[in-house]
Amino acid sequence: MEFVRVASLAEIPEGEMRAFDLSSGRVAVAHVEARLFAFADECTHAGCALSEGDFDDRAATVECACHGSVFDVETGEPIDGPAQDPVAIYLARLVEGWVELADQPVREGG
Ligand code: FES
C-alpha cells in the first residue's frame, strides 16, 4: 500500500473536513482532536460529497447535506438513513506535519 502526501496538517483545521483527489477516488479527511479520519467523499445514498456536509467533531460523525444520512467517520458505518451502506475507509497518517493517505481503501464501502 502506498501513501500519498495530500496536505499539511495546518490545512485541515481541527474540527473540520477537507477533500482530496486520489487515483482511487475523492477522499475526505476529518480532523478530530489529535486524530485524522479518512473516508470516501461520496455518500452511499445518492453520491453527494460528504465533505460538503456537516461534521460533528464531538460525535465523530458527518451528516450528508443532501438527505441527512449520518456516518461514523471512524468506521464508515451509517448511523442514520436514508443511506444503508457504509462508506469506504482509508488509512491516514501524519508524517512530520504532513497528512498522508493510503492510495487504496483499507475497507471498501457498500
Ligand atoms: S446523498 Fe447523502 S443522504 Fe442522500
Side-chain angles (χ1 to χ4, degrees):
M1 185 183 297
E2 301 275 318
F3 277 82
V4 182
R5 187 167 287 187
V6 294
S8 70
L9 185 60
E11 292 173 71
I12 312 173
E14 188 173 331
E16 295 191 18
M17 296 183 290
R18 295 288 183 272
F20 305 95
D21 287 309
L22 299 188
S23 57
S24 58
R26 196 161 171 82
V27 177
V29 179
H31 183 179
V32 184
E33 295 183 349
R35 303 180 69 190
L36 295 168
F37 298 107
F39 46 94
D41 190 21
E42 187 176 345
C43 181
T44 55
H45 175 234
C48 288
L50 292 175
S51 60
E52 293 172 12
D54 191 18
F55 177 49
D56 181 337
D57 62 334
R58 291 197 181 168
T61 58
V62 60
E63 180 175 347
C64 181
C66 289
H67 315 100
S69 291
V70 178
F71 296 90
D72 182 314
V73 298
E74 182 168 13
T75 65
E77 292 292 334
I79 294 171
D80 208 352
Q84 298 195 330
D85 296 317
V87 289
I89 292 295
Y90 287 73
L91 288 179
R93 70 184 185 187
L94 193 58
V95 180
E96 295 173 352
W98 294 96
V99 177
E100 298 184 346
L101 300 178
D103 62 352
Q104 298 294 328
V106 65
R107 215 187 79 190
E108 300 287 344

